[in-house]
Amino acid sequence: MLARVELEVRHLRALCAIADTGSVRKAAVQLGMTQPSLTTQLRRIESTVGGLLFTRSQHGSHPTPLGHSVLSRARPIIAEMAALVAAARDAAVGVGGLRLRIGSIGSRAVTGWLRRIHRRLPDTDTTIHIEVSSNTLLQLLATNQLDVAFVHETAGFPLNVPEGVERRVLIAAEPRFVSLSATHAAAARPVIPLADLAGDPWIVDPTADDEATALRRAFMAAGLDPRLLHVRDNTTAAELVACGEAVRPAAPTADPVPGTVIRPLSGDPLTTQLSLASRRGSLPLRELNALFADLTAAYVDVAGASAAYRSWLDRTGSPLLPSVGSH
C-alpha cells in the first residue's frame, strides 16, 4: 500500500493539470514530470483522500464525483496562492512601481515585440516567460502569473481556454512550413507535396500542444503514415535536419539554420491561429490595444524578412498582413 502524503499546493496543481488536460501523460509534460512519477503521486493523493479521483480509460482521465468535489476546493486555493505571490511581487516592485509580465510561445517576433514595448514603456519592469505549450501559458495567465500571452492554436485542436481569459486574433491561419536539409531531393522545389516527405522521419516536440497529433492527422488525410521522432532539444533537432536525418515542421517566419531550407507544403495541410490572450479587465483597453499593435508590427517585420513567407503570400494572394509586401 502506498504511503499517504500531506497535501500541498503542488499536489493540488497536479490534480488540476490532470483534469485540465484530460490525461496523466499530458499533465506530466505540463508539470515537467515523468508520467510514472505523476501516476505514483496521484495514487498517494487518492490514498490520502480515501477514494478514486479520476477514472482512467483509453480515452483519458476524467474526474469522479469525489474528484469534482476535491477540484472545486483545490482551484480556489491555487488561485489564492497565485494572488498571494502576485501581491508579494507587487510589493517587491515597490509602491507605485509599474510591471508587465509577458508570456509567449517561441517566435522570432518576440524580440521586436519586446523592443517596441521597452521603447514605449521605458519605466515599466517588463518580464518575459517563454513556453512551448500555449495551454500552459493560458493557465499562467488565468492564475495571475502573467498579464498577457502570445499563443497559438493548431487548427482542429482547440486550446483549453480558462474562464475569464480572452483572445484577440493576430493571424487566423498561419501556414506551417517544413524545414529540411539543403541537400534533400525536395529542397529545390518552391512548394513541397506532403507525399514527397512521407519517407522521412519527422521531428516533433512532445511538449508542444497537439503538434504530433496534428501531423499524424495531416498524413492520414493524405493516406500516408509518418514516422515521428520525439526531440525536445532545439539544437539537436536542427542538427538532425541539417545533416539530412529528418525533417520537421517550421513557422513560416523561422530563420533557416545553416545547411537547411524552409519551404511551404502544398495545400497548407497544417495551420495555426496566432492570438494575444489576456484576462478580462486586467489591463486598460488602451494598453491592450497598444500591446497588440506592438506585436502586430513585430510580426510584420519578421514576416517581411522571410523570403519563403513573402513568396507564399504573393502566390496565394492572401490578405494576411498586406503590409508585408512593402518590406
Side-chain angles (χ1 to χ4, degrees):
M1 180 177 179
L2 290 172
R4 295 183 179 183
V5 295
E6 185 172 341
L7 290 185
E8 302 173 8
V9 173
R10 63 187 178 92
H11 297 133
L12 303 184
R13 287 198 181 100
L15 296 179
C16 291
I18 295 170
D20 292 338
T21 63
S23 162
V24 174
R25 178 184 60 79
K26 290 182 179 180
V29 171
Q30 180 176 304
L31 296 167
M33 302 173 62
T34 65
Q35 182 174 339
S37 295
L38 182 56
T39 298
T40 298
Q41 187 176 99
L42 174 59
R43 288 173 179 167
R44 285 176 173 163
I45 295 171
E46 289 176 330
S47 177
T48 298
V49 301
L52 289 177
L53 299 177
F54 295 90
T55 57
R56 291 85 157 179
S57 71
Q58 61 180 357
H59 301 297
S61 298
H62 306 282
T64 62
L66 176 60
H68 280 297
S69 177
V70 171
L71 287 165
S72 69
R73 290 166 173 79
R75 294 190 189 278
I77 293 172
I78 293 173
E80 284 297 321
M81 181 60 70
L84 184 154
V85 172
R89 287 175 177 168
D90 286 338
V93 171
V95 177
L98 299 174
R99 182 194 59 184
L100 180 63
R101 302 163 300 170
I102 295 173
S104 179
I105 53 173
S107 169
R108 290 187 65 213
V110 170
T111 301
W113 189 26
L114 285 176
R115 185 171 61 248
R116 286 171 171 79
I117 292 172
H118 288 317
R119 187 164 56 233
R120 187 170 55 81
L121 303 171
D123 298 323
T124 297
D125 176 26
T126 303
T127 60
I128 183 75
H129 181 103
I130 305 295
E131 280 280 352
V132 172
S133 168
S134 290
N135 279 314
T136 297
L137 289 170
L138 292 176
Q139 289 300 320
L140 292 173
L141 188 62
T143 54
N144 195 29
Q145 297 177 67
L146 294 173
D147 298 308
V148 292
F150 179 31
V151 299
H152 67 184
E153 178 179 273
T154 301
F157 299 89
L159 293 172
N160 298 313
V161 182
E163 184 178 354
V165 171
E166 300 176 328
R167 289 181 292 168
R168 184 180 299 193
V169 176
L170 174 69
I171 305 297
E174 180 194 67
R176 294 291 283 176
F177 287 3
V178 61
S179 176
L180 64 161
S181 171
T183 62
H184 194 287
R189 305 189 65 167
V191 181
I192 302 176
L194 201 59
D196 285 5
L197 304 172
D200 292 279
W202 281 72
I203 292 175
V204 293
D205 186 338
T207 63
D209 300 313
D210 300 306
E211 182 179 63
T213 308
L215 188 59
R216 285 191 184 280
R217 186 185 65 174
F219 269 98
M220 287 178 63
L224 305 170
D225 185 19
R227 180 157 61 94
L228 303 187
L229 299 180
H230 295 268
V231 181
R232 294 183 61 176
D233 179 65
N234 191 56
T235 300
T236 301
E239 291 176 350
L240 289 170
V241 171
C243 70
E245 289 294 323
V247 300
R248 65 169 172 163
T253 55
D255 191 16
V257 301
T260 71
V261 296
I262 294 176
R263 297 286 185 263
L265 293 166
S266 296
D268 304 319
L270 300 167
T271 62
T272 60
Q273 181 189 89
L274 305 182
S275 60
L276 183 65
S278 62
R279 288 187 314 284
R280 188 178 302 121
S282 63
L283 289 174
L285 181 59
R286 180 177 179 180
E287 178 55 29
L288 192 58
N289 288 340
L291 288 169
F292 186 78
D294 289 338
L295 178 58
T296 301
Y299 187 90
V300 168
D301 279 353
V302 296
S306 168
Y309 201 6
R310 289 200 313 271
S311 176
W312 181 90
L313 291 168
D314 291 341
R315 186 177 60 259
T316 60
S318 172
L320 175 67
L321 300 176
S323 56
V324 167
S326 65
H327 283 254

